[in-house]
Amino acid sequence: MKSFHHHIVLVWLLVLILPAPKLGFAQQTDEGVDLAAVHSASLPFDNTFMEANRAMMIANYTEALDYLRQCMALKPNEASVHHLMAKAYKELERPDEAIFHAGEAVRLNPQNHWYYVAQAEIYEKYNYFRQAADALMSASSLVTKGSEGLQLQAVDLYIQGMEYKTALKVLDQLEKKVGYDDDITRRRYNVLIKMGKRKKAEKLLERLKEEKPESDMLRGALLNHYKYFKQVKKTEKLLLEWTAFDPTNGEVWIELGNLYAENQQPAKAIEAYKKAIRATNLDARKRVEILLFVSSRYTSITFDEIKELSVFIAQKHPYAPEPQALLGDVLAKEGSRIEAIQAYQRTLRNGGDKESVYQQLILLLSEEGRNAEALTYAQECIQKYPDNLLGYAIGAMSAFQLSQYDKAVELAEAGLPKAIGNKPLKFQLTYVLAESYHKLGNNPASDEYFEKALNIDPNNISALNNFAYYLAERGEKLDKALMLITRANKLQPANATLLDTWAWVLYKRGEYTDALVKIQKAIENGGSEVSVIQEHYGDILHKLGFYSQALAAYSAALETAKDKDHLLLKIRNTPNR
């Protein structure tokens, strides 16, 4: 089972499976050059040796060797010449010559510790680990400062060469000299593990932890030991002691949560993760990651708990984008749309311009009817994420609602090519184009996009109704209008709006008696409170000569109508009988 893994920083246990780093011995400027010997040499030697150094500096090792051979002919026992020859042969991947000349440099000048360091580097390069370690130990005996570092490097090489007893011996000597040291302890532990002395290695860490209870380094090492060897009870005990000692350490609570999660103890895991979230030393992103893991992994954590923790994280990190986005998601799921919108807006202000945040925000703004804001954020989303189809769809719809029909057409047409494979949004964009072109008075384009929209979704009630109504208003393609509205009414037989459109199509076709039947059904199904339906009812009654009833219908329409002038004109033109 997976768990949320964020391991303790102090994980030096892993060294037991990692090779020691390559040594960077040749970093000094003098490179072991015996300046006294150089200056005492004859001028030909001096010049030739300088040329050899120049060739080495530009990595021309073959040329350097030619000069060094000339130097050797002049001074066959000059240690600095052998030192440079060893380095050149090493770079040319000629191990035998490199090892020989490194040894000669040490033999001729056994007091120069840099020659031993160079020799160790060559031995280590060709996997002669014990010989490399011995050379470093010799180098360490010649220096007064930095000898401990050389000896620790030697220990790493002894370990690589599986000279474990020698490595322990050197560590003993070092510990007597410098006392307790994390680097020494780590190496001693690794040697014991490699020797198969697991219990002894464990007791070493346990003893040191008791001696130094304040050391997170030792706790971390012991924790990783227990985990590596799957000692669950000891791991739990150590972690519980650690949380008691430092209850604000979120990483330790995470480790405890991971332990419980891996051992199928969900209730304990949730509590540990919750304490990790509330701990003081975790950053915003880590808290969010833990809560997302817990909420997705465990159904037993309640929504109220998730919301409470989301609010806590957001308040703890008011200027971090991740907590605000998480809070927005939680509030949106709860249905608190206003608060969710505010959380998403804070997310964007804080630099969290994730595509999903834009999508959630523009959806909520659209649902709330805040079309101007929805349009602004939709266009911002498109600018940052040009392939975001929802940005085009919400933007186009918002522009339409704001009567910005040209902008609606622009956004919908830009989005349509990206809608391949997304049938709902393809329909939406096509439908917006149909409605926008109608508003712009471009009837051919409007009809074309209504046809396309109905090819995508033949049973869309709004498209069927509006297309039929627009055709009826224009008195065009009335057979098609009747077919469209008949299909819509079969899908929703008691819908007052659809019945009204059906009646109006029949009215435009001159089928007034049938129109009256449909409009009366519309009135019976809630249409009596709708001004336009009452007006159509009056028009049909007027056409049939039922003037008093027509006047009553016009008067009812007048009560809720926004445009009253044309209704008053109809009332004046209707005989009062």
Side-chain angles (χ1 to χ4, degrees):
M1 179 188 67
K2 289 187 177 180
S3 63
F4 178 85
H5 288 290
H6 177 72
H7 294 296
I8 304 300
V9 175
L10 313 173
V11 277
W12 50 255
L13 170 67
L14 298 180
V15 173
L16 69 93
I17 59 171
L18 297 176
K22 296 291 184 181
L23 303 176
F25 298 130
Q27 296 182 7
Q28 300 300 316
T29 56
D30 60 4
E31 296 294 348
V33 176
D34 190 337
L35 296 178
V38 172
H39 287 298
S40 66
S42 60
L43 187 59
F45 176 87
D46 186 32
N47 290 337
T48 307
F49 192 76
M50 287 178 63
E51 288 298 315
N53 271 288
R54 178 193 59 77
M56 288 291 291
M57 289 177 65
I58 62 173
N60 194 337
Y61 304 116
T62 302
E63 182 184 355
L65 283 172
D66 289 339
Y67 285 118
L68 290 168
R69 291 189 190 99
Q70 295 176 42
C71 290
M72 189 175 290
L74 295 169
K75 286 191 174 184
N77 293 321
E78 177 54 54
S80 59
V81 174
H82 287 282
H83 171 66
L84 280 187
M85 291 185 80
K87 292 182 66 177
Y89 280 124
K90 178 176 74 75
E91 296 298 334
L92 292 170
E93 300 292 344
R94 293 169 63 175
D96 292 341
E97 292 97 327
I99 291 170
F100 170 77
H101 286 287
E104 284 296 285
V106 167
R107 183 182 66 79
L108 292 167
N109 188 354
Q111 299 307 309
N112 189 321
H113 83 279
W114 286 113
Y115 291 174
Y116 287 104
V117 170
Q119 184 183 42
E121 185 179 36
I122 291 169
Y123 275 135
E124 195 264 346
K125 178 178 174 66
Y126 298 111
N127 298 328
Y128 294 107
F129 299 118
R130 180 184 60 77
Q131 293 88 336
D134 289 344
L136 286 180
M137 291 301 294
S138 297
S140 73
S141 68
L142 296 173
V143 297
T144 56
K145 188 176 181 180
S147 62
E148 292 86 358
L150 290 169
Q151 288 175 41
L152 285 173
Q153 288 179 319
V155 168
D156 290 337
L157 290 166
Y158 282 132
I159 292 172
Q160 282 191 273
M162 294 187 288
E163 300 284 342
Y164 301 132
K165 290 183 179 179
T166 306
L168 286 175
K169 183 178 178 181
V170 175
L171 290 172
D172 288 339
Q173 294 169 354
L174 272 171
E175 199 161 47
K176 285 180 183 178
K177 182 179 178 181
V178 302
Y180 172 80
D181 180 84
D182 286 336
D183 289 331
I184 293 173
T185 299
R186 173 172 60 82
R187 286 168 171 83
R188 187 185 299 282
Y189 172 85
N190 287 332
V191 170
L192 292 172
I193 290 295
K194 286 179 178 292
M195 293 175 74
K197 298 183 178 181
R198 190 188 101 187
K199 290 293 183 183
K200 194 169 183 179
E202 186 174 303
K203 287 181 180 179
L204 167 70
L205 295 179
E206 289 174 340
R207 175 178 59 81
L208 289 172
K209 183 184 78 69
E210 293 302 317
E211 291 176 2
K212 299 182 176 298
E214 77 286 350
S215 173
D216 282 351
M217 177 76 75
L218 288 169
R219 281 199 191 88
L222 190 55
L223 172 64
N224 282 287
H225 174 88
Y226 289 152
K227 287 169 60 180
Y228 187 82
F229 292 106
K230 303 187 185 308
Q231 299 187 64
V232 175
K233 290 184 178 180
K234 286 188 174 183
T235 303
E236 181 184 15
K237 182 181 177 183
L238 175 63
L239 287 170
L240 289 172
E241 289 175 355
W242 201 339
T243 57
F245 179 81
D246 184 7
T248 64
N249 192 322
E251 293 179 346
V252 179
W253 285 111
I254 290 172
E255 287 288 348
L256 188 59
N258 289 344
L259 178 70
Y260 289 136
E262 290 164 4
N263 288 279
Q264 309 298 320
Q265 295 176 280
K268 288 185 175 182
I270 290 171
E271 285 306 308
Y273 287 134
K274 285 166 64 176
K275 288 179 179 177
I277 290 170
R278 292 187 177 278
T280 58
N281 67 336
L282 294 184
D283 61 24
R285 183 169 296 180
K286 187 58 61 183
R287 295 180 206 266
V288 169
E289 287 175 357
I290 300 169
L291 184 52
L292 287 174
F293 167 75
V294 173
S295 59
S296 64
R297 176 67 182 82
Y298 298 109
T299 56
S300 55
I301 187 168
T302 66
F303 181 82
D304 287 343
E305 289 177 297
I306 294 170
K307 181 181 177 181
E308 180 187 354
L309 290 168
S310 299
V311 171
F312 169 82
I313 300 171
Q315 291 176 344
K316 191 79 175 175
H317 305 278
Y319 302 110
E322 295 88 352
Q324 306 305 323
L326 175 61
L327 181 60
D329 291 343
V330 171
L331 292 168
K333 185 175 181 180
E334 184 185 47
S336 302
R337 296 196 298 205
I338 303 301
E339 292 83 355
I341 287 170
Q342 293 169 348
Y344 288 133
Q345 288 174 328
R346 287 194 299 271
T347 303
L348 297 179
R349 284 199 301 270
N350 292 346
D353 60 347
K354 286 178 64 177
E355 190 171 4
S356 59
V357 173
Y358 275 108
Q359 290 191 157
Q360 287 289 89
L361 178 57
I362 59 179
L363 272 172
L364 290 173
L365 287 169
S366 178
E367 289 172 3
E368 285 293 302
R370 293 161 64 172
N371 295 302
E373 293 171 274
L375 177 58
T376 297
Y377 282 110
Q379 291 182 108
E380 194 175 308
C381 175
I382 292 167
Q383 186 177 8
K384 293 183 177 182
Y385 306 101
D387 293 325
N388 188 285
L389 187 56
L390 190 64
Y392 292 99
I394 298 293
M397 286 193 300
S398 300
F400 180 84
Q401 294 297 329
L402 294 165
S403 301
Q404 297 180 26
Y405 305 121
D406 287 327
K407 174 60 71 173
V409 167
E410 175 192 331
L411 291 171
E413 287 186 338
L416 259 183
K418 304 175 187 297
I420 297 172
N422 191 325
K423 186 176 176 180
L425 288 184
K426 184 178 181 181
F427 171 83
Q428 203 163 311
L429 289 164
T430 307
Y431 184 48
V432 169
L433 282 167
E435 293 286 2
S436 297
Y437 276 122
H438 168 73
K439 291 291 188 180
L440 291 168
N442 189 339
N443 293 329
S446 176
D447 291 356
E448 178 187 350
Y449 279 108
F450 267 119
E451 296 283 6
K452 289 179 178 179
L454 289 169
N455 282 335
I456 298 168
D457 184 0
N459 295 322
N460 185 275
I461 297 296
S462 295
L464 289 167
N465 177 76
N466 290 9
F467 192 15
Y469 188 77
Y470 297 153
L471 291 174
E473 282 287 274
R474 285 156 32 201
E476 298 175 3
K477 304 178 185 176
L478 294 175
D479 288 345
K480 183 174 187 62
L482 183 60
M483 180 269 292
L484 293 169
I485 196 59
T486 302
R487 187 195 309 167
N489 274 273
K490 284 182 180 178
L491 296 169
Q492 290 189 12
N495 185 309
T497 299
L498 301 182
L499 288 164
D500 171 64
T501 301
W502 198 355
W504 199 239
V505 170
L506 292 169
Y507 175 84
K508 289 289 186 174
R509 288 167 60 89
E511 301 173 23
Y512 305 121
T513 302
D514 290 340
L516 181 60
V517 172
K518 301 303 180 188
I519 201 72
Q520 286 174 335
K521 285 186 178 179
I523 296 292
E524 292 166 5
N525 283 279
S528 60
E529 304 300 320
V530 181
S531 177
V532 69
I533 294 178
Q534 286 285 11
E535 182 180 353
H536 288 162
Y537 187 27
D539 290 343
I540 294 168
L541 290 167
H542 189 283
K543 203 70 173 177
L544 290 168
F546 301 130
Y547 301 124
S548 59
Q549 292 172 273
L551 284 170
Y554 289 144
S555 298
L558 190 64
E559 292 180 9
T560 57
K562 291 181 180 179
D563 178 14
K564 300 183 182 297
D565 290 343
H566 80 285
L567 279 169
L568 290 171
L569 182 61
K570 286 186 177 183
I571 290 171
R572 284 198 297 269
N573 292 333
T574 301
N576 188 11
R577 53 185 167 81

Coordinates of all heavy atoms in Angstrom, one line a residue, residues 431 434-435 443 446-452 454 461-474 476-477 480-481 484-485 501 505:
Y431 N -23.8 26.4 -30.4 CA -25.1 27.0 -30.0 C -24.9 28.5 -29.7 O -25.8 29.3 -30.1 CB -25.6 26.3 -28.7 CG -27.0 26.7 -28.3 CD1 -28.0 26.9 -29.2 CD2 -27.3 27.0 -27.0 CE1 -29.3 27.3 -28.8 CE2 -28.5 27.4 -26.6 CZ -29.5 27.6 -27.5 OH -30.8 28.0 -27.1
A434 N -24.9 30.3 -32.9 CA -26.2 30.4 -33.5 C -27.0 31.5 -32.9 O -27.6 32.4 -33.6 CB -27.0 29.1 -33.3
E435 N -26.9 31.6 -31.5 CA -27.7 32.7 -30.8 C -27.1 34.0 -31.1 O -27.8 35.0 -31.3 CB -27.7 32.4 -29.3 CG -28.5 31.1 -29.0 CD -30.0 31.4 -29.1 OE1 -30.5 32.5 -29.5 OE2 -30.8 30.4 -28.7
N443 N -29.0 36.1 -40.1 CA -29.9 34.9 -40.1 C -29.3 33.7 -40.8 O -29.4 32.6 -40.3 CB -31.3 35.3 -40.6 CG -32.0 36.3 -39.7 OD1 -31.8 36.3 -38.5 ND2 -32.8 37.1 -40.4
S446 N -26.8 32.3 -38.5 CA -27.5 31.7 -37.3 C -28.1 30.4 -37.6 O -28.0 29.4 -36.9 CB -28.6 32.7 -36.8 OG -29.3 32.2 -35.8
D447 N -28.9 30.3 -38.8 CA -29.5 29.1 -39.1 C -28.5 27.9 -39.3 O -28.7 26.8 -38.9 CB -30.3 29.2 -40.4 CG -31.6 30.1 -40.2 OD1 -31.8 30.5 -39.0 OD2 -32.2 30.5 -41.2
E448 N -27.4 28.3 -40.0 CA -26.3 27.3 -40.2 C -25.8 26.7 -38.9 O -25.7 25.5 -38.8 CB -25.2 28.0 -41.0 CG -24.0 27.0 -41.2 CD -22.8 27.7 -41.8 OE1 -22.9 28.9 -42.2 OE2 -21.7 27.1 -41.9
Y449 N -25.6 27.5 -37.9 CA -25.0 27.0 -36.6 C -26.1 26.3 -35.8 O -25.8 25.4 -35.1 CB -24.4 28.1 -35.9 CG -23.0 28.4 -36.4 CD1 -22.7 29.6 -37.1 CD2 -21.9 27.5 -36.1 CE1 -21.4 29.8 -37.6 CE2 -20.7 27.7 -36.6 CZ -20.4 28.9 -37.3 OH -19.1 29.1 -37.8
F450 N -27.4 26.7 -36.0 CA -28.4 25.9 -35.3 C -28.5 24.5 -35.9 O -28.6 23.5 -35.2 CB -29.8 26.6 -35.5 CG -30.2 27.5 -34.4 CD1 -30.4 28.9 -34.6 CD2 -30.3 27.1 -33.1 CE1 -30.7 29.8 -33.5 CE2 -30.6 27.9 -32.0 CZ -30.8 29.3 -32.3
E451 N -28.4 24.4 -37.2 CA -28.3 23.1 -37.9 C -27.2 22.3 -37.3 O -27.3 21.1 -37.0 CB -28.2 23.2 -39.4 CG -29.4 23.9 -40.1 CD -30.6 23.0 -40.2 OE1 -30.6 21.8 -39.7 OE2 -31.6 23.4 -40.8
K452 N -26.0 22.9 -37.2 CA -24.8 22.2 -36.7 C -25.0 21.8 -35.3 O -24.6 20.7 -34.9 CB -23.6 23.1 -36.9 CG -23.1 23.3 -38.3 CD -21.9 24.2 -38.4 CE -21.4 24.3 -39.9 NZ -20.2 25.2 -40.0
L454 N -27.8 21.1 -33.7 CA -28.7 20.0 -33.6 C -28.2 18.7 -34.2 O -28.6 17.6 -33.9 CB -30.0 20.4 -34.3 CG -30.8 21.5 -33.5 CD1 -32.0 22.0 -34.3 CD2 -31.3 20.8 -32.2
I461 N -33.4 20.7 -26.1 CA -34.6 21.4 -26.0 C -34.5 22.9 -26.4 O -35.3 23.4 -27.2 CB -35.3 21.3 -24.6 CG1 -35.6 19.8 -24.3 CG2 -36.5 22.1 -24.5 CD1 -36.6 19.2 -25.1
S462 N -33.5 23.5 -25.8 CA -33.3 25.0 -26.1 C -33.1 25.3 -27.5 O -33.7 26.2 -28.1 CB -32.2 25.5 -25.2 OG -32.5 25.5 -23.9
A463 N -32.2 24.5 -28.2 CA -31.9 24.7 -29.6 C -33.1 24.4 -30.4 O -33.4 25.2 -31.4 CB -30.7 23.8 -30.0
L464 N -33.9 23.4 -30.2 CA -35.1 23.1 -30.9 C -36.1 24.2 -30.8 O -36.7 24.6 -31.8 CB -35.7 21.7 -30.4 CG -34.9 20.4 -30.8 CD1 -35.5 19.3 -30.0 CD2 -35.0 20.1 -32.3
N465 N -36.3 24.6 -29.6 CA -37.3 25.6 -29.3 C -36.9 27.0 -30.0 O -37.7 27.6 -30.7 CB -37.5 25.8 -27.8 CG -38.5 26.9 -27.5 OD1 -39.7 26.7 -27.6 ND2 -38.0 28.1 -27.1
N466 N -35.7 27.4 -29.7 CA -35.3 28.7 -30.2 C -35.2 28.8 -31.7 O -35.6 29.8 -32.3 CB -34.0 29.2 -29.6 CG -34.1 29.4 -28.1 OD1 -35.2 29.2 -27.5 ND2 -33.1 30.0 -27.5
F467 N -34.7 27.8 -32.3 CA -34.6 27.8 -33.8 C -36.0 27.8 -34.4 O -36.3 28.6 -35.3 CB -33.9 26.5 -34.2 CG -33.5 26.5 -35.7 CD1 -33.5 27.7 -36.4 CD2 -33.1 25.3 -36.3 CE1 -33.1 27.7 -37.8 CE2 -32.7 25.3 -37.6 CZ -32.7 26.5 -38.4
A468 N -36.9 27.0 -33.8 CA -38.3 27.1 -34.3 C -38.9 28.4 -34.1 O -39.6 28.9 -35.0 CB -39.1 26.0 -33.6
Y469 N -38.7 29.0 -33.0 CA -39.3 30.3 -32.7 C -38.8 31.4 -33.6 O -39.6 32.2 -34.1 CB -39.1 30.7 -31.2 CG -39.8 31.9 -30.8 CD1 -41.2 31.8 -30.5 CD2 -39.2 33.1 -30.7 CE1 -41.9 33.0 -30.1 CE2 -39.9 34.3 -30.3 CZ -41.2 34.2 -30.0 OH -41.9 35.3 -29.6
Y470 N -37.4 31.4 -33.8 CA -36.9 32.4 -34.7 C -37.4 32.3 -36.1 O -37.7 33.3 -36.8 CB -35.3 32.3 -34.7 CG -34.7 32.6 -33.4 CD1 -33.5 32.0 -33.0 CD2 -35.3 33.4 -32.4 CE1 -32.9 32.3 -31.8 CE2 -34.7 33.6 -31.1 CZ -33.5 33.0 -30.9 OH -32.9 33.3 -29.7
L471 N -37.5 31.1 -36.6 CA -38.1 30.8 -37.9 C -39.5 31.3 -38.0 O -40.0 32.0 -39.0 CB -38.0 29.4 -38.3 CG -36.6 28.8 -38.6 CD1 -36.7 27.3 -38.8 CD2 -35.9 29.5 -39.8
A472 N -40.3 31.1 -36.9 CA -41.7 31.5 -36.9 C -41.8 33.0 -36.9 O -42.6 33.6 -37.6 CB -42.4 30.9 -35.7
E473 N -41.0 33.7 -36.1 CA -41.0 35.1 -36.1 C -40.7 35.7 -37.4 O -41.2 36.8 -37.8 CB -39.9 35.6 -35.0 CG -40.3 35.5 -33.6 CD -41.4 36.5 -33.2 OE1 -41.0 37.6 -32.9 OE2 -42.6 36.2 -33.3
R474 N -39.8 35.1 -38.2 CA -39.4 35.6 -39.5 C -40.4 35.1 -40.6 O -40.4 35.6 -41.7 CB -38.0 35.1 -39.9 CG -36.9 35.9 -39.2 CD -35.6 35.1 -39.0 NE -35.3 34.2 -40.1 CZ -34.4 33.2 -40.0 NH1 -33.8 33.0 -38.8 NH2 -34.2 32.4 -41.0
E476 N -40.4 32.2 -41.9 CA -39.6 31.4 -42.9 C -39.6 29.9 -42.5 O -39.6 29.6 -41.3 CB -38.2 32.0 -43.0 CG -38.1 33.4 -43.4 CD -36.7 34.0 -43.4 OE1 -35.8 33.2 -43.0 OE2 -36.6 35.2 -43.7
K477 N -39.5 29.1 -43.5 CA -39.3 27.6 -43.2 C -40.2 27.1 -42.1 O -39.8 26.4 -41.2 CB -37.8 27.3 -42.9 CG -36.8 27.8 -43.9 CD -35.4 27.5 -43.4 CE -34.4 28.1 -44.4 NZ -33.0 28.0 -43.9
K480 N -40.3 23.4 -41.4 CA -39.1 23.0 -40.6 C -39.4 23.4 -39.1 O -39.1 22.6 -38.2 CB -37.8 23.6 -41.1 CG -36.6 23.1 -40.3 CD -35.3 23.6 -40.9 CE -34.1 23.0 -40.2 NZ -34.1 21.5 -40.3
A481 N -39.9 24.6 -38.9 CA -40.1 25.1 -37.6 C -41.1 24.2 -36.9 O -40.9 23.9 -35.7 CB -40.7 26.5 -37.6
L484 N -39.4 21.0 -35.8 CA -38.5 21.2 -34.7 C -39.3 21.3 -33.4 O -38.9 20.6 -32.4 CB -37.7 22.5 -34.9 CG -36.6 22.5 -36.0 CD1 -36.1 23.9 -36.3 CD2 -35.5 21.5 -35.7
I485 N -40.3 22.0 -33.4 CA -41.0 22.2 -32.1 C -41.9 21.0 -31.7 O -42.1 20.8 -30.6 CB -41.9 23.5 -32.2 CG1 -42.3 23.9 -30.7 CG2 -43.1 23.4 -33.1 CD1 -41.1 24.2 -29.8
T501 N -44.3 28.1 -28.1 CA -43.7 28.2 -29.4 C -44.5 27.4 -30.4 O -44.6 27.8 -31.6 CB -42.2 27.7 -29.3 OG1 -41.5 28.5 -28.4 CG2 -41.5 27.7 -30.7
V505 N -45.9 28.9 -33.9 CA -45.6 28.3 -35.2 C -46.9 28.1 -36.0 O -47.0 28.4 -37.2 CB -44.7 27.1 -35.1 CG1 -44.6 26.4 -36.5 CG2 -43.3 27.4 -34.6

